[in-house]
Amino acid sequence: MVKQPTQSKQEIIITGFGGQGIVLAGRILGMAAALKDDKESTLVQSYGPESRGGACCAQVVISDDAIQYPYITTPDVLVCMSQAAYLKYYKSVTPEGFLLTDKDLVKPVSDRDCFSIPSTRMAEELGRKMMANIIMIGFTTAITQLVSKKAAEYAVTSSVPKGTEEMNTKAFNKGYDYGKSLLKGRAQKASGKKRANA
Amino acid sequence: MDNFKIVLFLCNWSPHAAFQKLQDLSFDIPAEINMIRIPCTGRISKALLFKAFEMGADGVALAGCSPGTCRYGSGTENAIKNTQDTRDILDIMGLGSERMRLETFLPDETDKMYQFLSTFTSDLKTMGKTPIKGFRSDEIPEDPKQSITKIIAEYDAYACLDCGKCTSSCPLALSGKDFSPRALVTSLIEGDITSETIKENIWSCLTCGVCYNRCPSEVNFPELIQKVRAHTTKDITGQNRLTHGGFFQSLMRSMTHSDIQQKRWQTLPKDIKTDPDSKILFHGGCAPYFDIFFRNHHKVENSDILENALKLLNFFDVTPAVLENERCCGHDLLWSGDRNNFLKLAKLNQKILNDSGIDEIITACPECYRTFAHDYPANGIDLNFKVTHLYEFLENEIDKSAVTFDGPEGRFTFQDSCRLNGLDEIKDLPRKLINRFASGNFQEMQDSKDGALCCGNSAWTGCDAYSKALQVKRIHQAKKTKSDFMITACPKCRIHLGCAMEDPFEGGKLKMELTDLTNIIAEHICWE
Ligand code: SF4
Ligand code: SF4
Ligand code: SF4
C-alpha cells in the first residue's frame, strides 16, 4: 500500500483556505527538500482574494534535477484542508499518487483512497489552531516520505516565529506519529488484525 | 520422611464413627495425621482450609458424611464446593490440588476410611513437603505507644483543628455508622491506644481518602491509619475484622515464602503474545485468585481485565513478559496492619524483579500500581525499573495513534478508584480515556472525583452492615444516572459493588452491569 516516491520528480499541491498557513506549509516542504535533502524545489503560491478566506493553493515541485516548469496540473501528492479545495482538485491527483485530507474539514465524495488526519482538532488540543499546517506537514512526511523527517523538522523550526520552535516541533511530531500509526494500522488491518479483541 | 503434617478435619457424625472403629480395632493410622473433630464439614470455610496450608500443613483432608446423609442438610454440598475452590487455588499457588482432599463416609465404612487416610499419606509423601515452611505471624513492635506517638508527629495529626470536616465528609459516617475520624485523631493524640474509640475505629476506616481532601490541616488520614494499624498490639488486633475469615491475608502471607512456584498464566488464550525476554513486564495482580474464591458467590470475573490489558499491549505492538510465579504486591497486608509480612513480600519482589533485568513494569491494577510506585519506595524498597499504570500507557499510545472506537453503545457512569484518586499523576486519566469514546453518553454520579463514594471495603477488612449501606447508596447513585453500566477501574470495586447487588432485601433493583475500563477499551478500540 505504501508507495515510495520512485520518480525523480514529485509534484505537490497543498490547498485549503486563506489563513490556514497553506503557503507556509508549501514553503517548508520545498525548503526541507532543497536545504537538507539535496534536491531542487520550486514553489508557486496563489494570492489574491484567496488570502481573505477563499481557496488558497501552494504548488511545490521537488526534483533531483533542475526544474524547468513550476506549475502543476496533475499532482503526485495532494493535501486538502478544505472541502472546496478537495472538490476542486481531488480528480487531478495521479492514480498512484497520495491524497491527504483534514478529517474534520473534508468529507470525501469519491471512494478514491485518502489518508486523513484531524489536524485542526489536534492543533486545537495543543492550544493553537494555527498549527494545523505544521501537523499536516508531519503527517505528509510520514505518509509520503517526500522529504526526510530530519529535513522537515529542520525546515519547520527555521520557518516558524522565534520562541515557538518547541511547540511547532511537537505539532510536527504529532502529525508524523499519527501518519506512522495510520500506516501501521493499515498494515495490521490488511493482515486481519483490525481490533485489539478479535 | 518424618515431620509430615497432615490435618484431618473429621466430621463428628458418620466419619467419626468410622474413625473411632479404626482406633478401636487398633488400625495403624498414619502418625502424620492430626485429627480435628468438627461439627460439620460444611462449616470448614475456604479460609480455614487454606489457613492450615499457610501454617505449613503438607496436606489437608476433609472427611464428611455421604451425600444425602448430612445431618444439617447442606454440609456435604458446601464442603464439595469449598474443596473444589481450595484445590483450584492450590493449583495456581503451585502447591498442587492433590494436597487437599474430600471424602465422604457412612458410619460403618471403616476400611474406606483406612484406605483414604493411608493413600492420602503415601501420596503426599510422594509429592514431598510443602514449599511453605513455617508460619509467619505478625510480630508486634516492642512499644506500640512510642511508635504511635512518632506516627502522629510524622503525619502532623497534632495540627488537627478539631473542625470535624473529616467526619462530615466521611462516607462511612454518612452511611450511619458510629464512626468519627475526628474523634479517632483526638484519641490518638491523647495517646491511649487501647481506648474503645481506637480499638473499634481503627479497623473501620476504608482508607478512601475523601476526608484527606477536605481536611484544612491536610492530615493524611489513610496513611495515618495504615501506619497505626501496623503498630497495634494483640488486644486491639484487626484479625477479627478481616473479611472472608482472613483468607486473602493468608494467601498473601503464603506468597512470602521463596520456594513456592505458582502457575498463574496457565489459561492465557493462545492468541495473546508474550515474550519471556521482553524488557517490559506485565504484572497482573491477584484477580485469578479472587475469581476462584468468589465463583460460587456472584460470579466475579476479573481475569478478563488481565487478558484485555495484554491484548491492548499487543495491539500497540508491545509483547510483554509475564511471570508464572508472579507474587502479590502486598497491598492488602500493608493496609490491614501486617507490615512485617508486607515487608517480607516486598523484599522478595524487589529481589526477583530487580534481578530480572526489566526496564518497566506495566499493571492495570490500581493497588499494585500504587504499592510498587509509592509504598515500596516509602518503605525503603527501591525498584530499578519504571512502574507504569496501563492507563498511562494507553493515553500515551492513543494520543499519538490513528485509532478510533466503535462503541460502546448505551449510557455509562464511572466508579472512581480510591487508590488512583490519591495519585496526582493518574487521577485524571480514567476520565480522559472515557472521553475518547464517550460521545455524550457519559454521566457522573452525584458524588464523584475527590468526593466519590468508595466501594465500601479496603484490603479485605471491616465489611459490615454499614459498608453494605454505603455500597447500596452508591449503586442507587449510579442507577440515578440512568446508565446501562458502571465503569470501574479497580477489580475490587467490581467485587464489592457486585456483592452488594446481590442484596436479598433489594432484590433485582440493584442489578447493573459492572465493566472495567480496560475491558471496554479493549473491546472497542480499532485502527482507523
Ligand atoms: S479515609 Fe474515608 S473512610 Fe476513612 S475516615 Fe476518611 S473518609 Fe472516612
Ligand atoms: S478535617 Fe482535619 S483538622 Fe478537621 S477534625 Fe478532621 S483531621 Fe482534624
Ligand atoms: S463487599 Fe462482599 S465481597 Fe466485598 S468484602 Fe464484603 S462480603 Fe466480601
Side-chain angles (χ1 to χ4, degrees):
Chain A
M1 187 58 241
V2 186
K3 288 155 289 188
Q4 302 290 329
T6 44
Q7 299 149 264
S8 62
K9 193 172 90 179
Q10 291 283 317
E11 301 187 332
I12 304 115
I13 291 182
I14 305 176
T15 168
F17 36 78
Q20 281 180 317
I22 297 293
V23 176
L24 177 64
R27 199 170 63 219
I28 290 174
L29 270 185
M31 261 178 78
L35 297 183
K36 283 278 163 180
D37 280 351
D38 271 344
K39 294 189 178 174
E40 303 285 326
S41 71
T42 59
L43 167 71
V44 178
Q45 55 201 52
S46 311
Y47 279 125
E50 295 166 347
S51 61
R52 305 261 149 77
C56 177
C57 177
Q59 306 189 2
V60 183
V61 180
I62 295 175
S63 172
D64 290 344
D65 314 306
I67 298 162
Q68 311 294 341
Y69 184 72
Y71 293 96
I72 302 171
T73 44
T74 52
D76 301 299
V77 174
L78 174 66
V79 181
C80 297
M81 296 195 56
S82 77
Q83 186 71 13
Y86 167 84
L87 290 174
K88 185 167 169 197
Y89 289 102
Y90 82 89
K91 285 188 187 139
S92 67
V93 60
T94 58
E96 65 285 351
F98 292 98
L99 173 56
L100 292 87
T101 61
D102 182 293
K103 194 175 182 148
D104 298 327
L105 301 180
V106 174
K107 294 281 158 270
V109 294
S110 92
D111 45 20
R112 145 119 218 172
D113 181 38
C114 79
F115 294 87
S116 58
I117 176 172
S119 60
T120 310
R121 197 187 335 148
M122 285 167 124
E124 273 166 0
E125 276 164 19
L126 286 177
R128 279 207 192 188
K129 204 172 161 179
M130 295 272 302
M131 294 194 305
N133 60 342
I134 305 294
I135 294 179
M136 197 48 113
I137 292 171
F139 184 62
T140 309
T141 307
I143 300 281
T144 65
Q145 296 168 38
L146 270 176
V147 291
S148 65
K149 180 176 188 229
K150 240 189 168 154
E153 245 181 312
Y154 170 80
V156 167
T157 48
S158 46
S159 309
V160 297
K162 279 259 160 309
T164 66
E165 293 91 343
E166 201 181 313
M167 216 161 43
N168 279 290
T169 308
K170 198 169 160 199
F172 172 85
N173 277 301
K174 192 117 192 151
Y176 187 85
D177 287 345
Y178 191 89
K180 280 281 173 224
S181 162
L182 193 66
L183 293 177
K184 188 173 96 185
R186 285 194 174 201
Q188 297 273 22
K189 266 204 251 183
S191 65
K193 279 180 262 147
K194 182 176 167 25
R195 322 173 50 86
N197 214 334
Chain B
M1 281 277 207
D2 41 19
N3 62 33
F4 258 79
K5 288 193 217 94
I6 304 170
V7 175
L8 167 67
F9 289 111
L10 188 78
C11 166
N12 209 15
W13 304 99
S14 314
H16 189 246
F19 191 83
Q20 253 179 339
K21 210 165 288 161
L22 282 187
Q23 292 174 318
D24 291 348
L25 300 173
S26 306
F27 267 84
D28 179 20
I29 300 171
E32 294 81 0
I33 291 185
N34 300 282
M35 190 268 281
I36 301 172
R37 224 169 104 186
I38 51 160
C40 172
T41 48
R43 301 297 295 178
I44 304 301
S45 65
K46 288 174 266 196
L48 281 172
L49 290 171
F50 195 80
K51 188 83 193 169
F53 288 104
E54 187 210 342
M55 296 177 79
D58 298 294
V60 175
L62 258 184
C65 300
S66 290
T69 64
C70 170
R71 231 181 135 81
Y72 309 105
S74 58
T76 308
E77 219 174 284
N78 285 342
I80 291 173
K81 282 187 190 155
N82 285 339
T83 303
Q84 196 48 51
D85 292 351
T86 308
R87 282 171 61 97
D88 288 353
I89 282 167
L90 291 175
D91 262 340
I92 312 190
M93 276 296 279
L95 300 186
S97 55
E98 285 308 307
R99 288 190 190 273
M100 153 92 243
R101 275 180 209 175
L102 164 74
E103 190 53 88
T104 55
F105 300 89
L106 290 170
D108 55 3
E109 290 184 322
T110 314
D111 285 338
K112 185 176 169 189
M113 175 65 81
Y114 182 69
Q115 275 310 320
F116 173 63
L117 295 178
S118 37
T119 317
F120 188 39
T121 309
S122 76
D123 287 355
L124 280 172
K125 287 191 174 170
T126 322
M127 287 173 82
K129 297 268 317 159
T130 170
I132 297 178
K133 304 217 164 63
F135 179 46
R136 312 227 146 134
S137 70
D138 20 359
E139 295 142 38
I140 307 296
E142 308 244 300
D143 184 357
K145 196 164 165 191
Q146 168 65 32
S147 1
I148 286 182
T149 317
K150 256 196 237 140
I151 296 165
I152 297 171
E154 187 186 341
Y155 288 99
D156 206 14
Y158 291 119
C160 171
L161 308 167
D162 209 21
C163 69
K165 282 194 177 167
C166 46
T167 307
S168 66
S169 64
C170 170
L172 208 50
L174 290 175
S175 75
K177 193 173 168 91
D178 182 14
F179 167 69
S180 159
R182 183 197 55 78
L184 182 53
V185 171
T186 314
S187 318
L188 282 172
I189 293 172
E190 280 167 5
D192 179 13
I193 62 155
T194 52
S195 76
E196 281 308 309
T197 321
I198 295 183
K199 252 192 213 173
E200 187 50 36
N201 288 347
I202 200 75
W203 298 103
S204 298
C205 171
L206 301 166
T207 68
C208 70
V210 168
C211 57
Y212 179 31
N213 294 324
R214 299 286 154 88
C215 173
S217 294
E218 293 187 3
V219 175
N220 188 337
F221 213 77
E223 290 197 12
L224 176 77
I225 290 279
Q226 184 212 92
K227 291 272 159 69
V228 175
R229 281 183 184 172
H231 288 95
T232 50
T233 49
K234 271 235 156 45
D235 50 326
I236 53 170
T237 169
Q239 278 304 315
N240 54 354
R241 303 296 300 271
L242 302 181
T243 60
H244 302 286
F247 173 85
F248 295 104
Q249 281 79 2
S250 286
L251 187 76
M252 288 154 194
R253 270 195 294 272
S254 303
M255 289 185 217
T256 60
H257 293 268
S258 55
D259 289 346
I260 61 158
Q261 270 302 331
Q262 299 167 86
K263 297 184 183 140
R264 286 213 184 208
W265 296 98
Q266 300 282 313
T267 54
L268 198 61
K270 289 273 169 296
D271 57 330
I272 292 176
K273 286 182 291 180
T274 59
D275 168 13
D277 298 324
S278 174
K279 290 275 175 200
I280 299 178
L281 176 72
F282 177 71
H283 179 92
C286 293
Y289 287 108
F290 303 159
D291 285 7
I292 296 177
F293 188 88
F294 288 111
R295 68 182 165 198
N296 292 313
H297 179 38
H298 56 103
K299 300 199 177 50
V300 186
E301 285 252 355
N302 275 317
S303 298
D304 55 355
I305 304 174
L306 278 50
E307 284 174 14
N308 280 318
L310 285 166
K311 282 182 187 166
L312 283 167
L313 291 173
N314 284 176
F315 180 74
F316 285 113
D317 272 351
V318 173
T319 310
V322 290
L323 280 185
E324 200 58 27
N325 198 16
E326 173 192 310
R327 282 180 164 79
C328 168
C329 64
H331 173 278
D332 296 344
L333 291 177
L334 178 66
W335 291 87
S336 60
D338 190 354
R339 194 177 127 85
N340 286 315
N341 284 308
F342 164 72
L343 285 176
K344 269 194 195 113
L345 194 50
K347 281 180 190 148
L348 198 54
N349 272 326
Q350 178 192 38
K351 171 142 186 37
I352 294 166
L353 296 172
N354 277 358
D355 290 352
S356 70
I358 51 165
D359 295 333
E360 186 178 9
I361 211 169
I362 300 183
T363 180
C365 173
E367 298 183 335
C368 297
Y369 174 80
R370 192 206 135 106
T371 309
F372 285 140
H374 295 271
D375 296 315
Y376 274 33
N379 284 284
I381 314 273
D382 291 317
L383 301 174
N384 63 9
F385 48 85
K386 189 173 155 215
V387 182
T388 304
H389 191 283
L390 182 74
Y391 297 165
E392 295 176 284
F393 169 86
L394 288 177
E395 176 57 28
N396 186 31
E397 287 295 326
I398 294 174
D399 189 53
K400 62 176 193 207
S401 298
V403 292
T404 181
F405 292 87
D406 63 357
E409 267 169 44
R411 289 174 61 79
F412 38 88
T413 188
F414 177 62
Q415 167 66 18
D416 284 271
S417 143
C418 61
R419 292 298 179 250
L420 294 188
N421 270 11
L423 302 173
D424 287 336
E425 75 270 26
I426 312 234
K427 62 195 294 186
D428 298 329
L429 284 182
R431 282 183 179 76
K432 237 175 157 178
L433 285 165
I434 288 173
N435 269 331
R436 293 190 175 274
F437 58 77
S439 54
N441 294 325
F442 176 67
Q443 178 72 45
E444 292 282 8
M445 284 183 256
Q446 188 190 331
D447 298 304
S448 64
K449 301 180 184 165
D450 282 350
L453 294 184
C454 92
C455 67
N457 201 279
S458 137
W460 308 110
T461 48
C463 181
D464 61 12
Y466 297 101
S467 23
K468 275 280 157 284
L470 168 59
Q471 290 160 347
V472 168
K473 181 172 165 192
R474 188 55 164 171
I475 298 167
H476 279 307
Q477 285 193 348
K479 286 263 168 192
K480 255 208 185 120
T481 65
K482 303 238 174 333
S483 296
D484 301 297
F485 45 96
M486 194 184 330
I487 301 177
T488 51
C490 174
K492 301 253 185 89
C493 293
R494 227 168 152 205
I495 294 174
H496 303 311
L497 290 173
C499 173
M501 287 179 190
E502 304 281 301
D503 189 311
F505 298 109
E506 301 261 351
K509 271 194 286 180
L510 296 173
K511 283 271 182 280
M512 182 172 196
E513 200 176 330
L514 284 162
T515 321
D516 192 88
L517 182 53
T518 302
N519 291 350
I520 296 196
I521 296 177
E523 267 150 38
H524 295 288
I525 200 166
C526 50
W527 292 106
E528 280 275 5

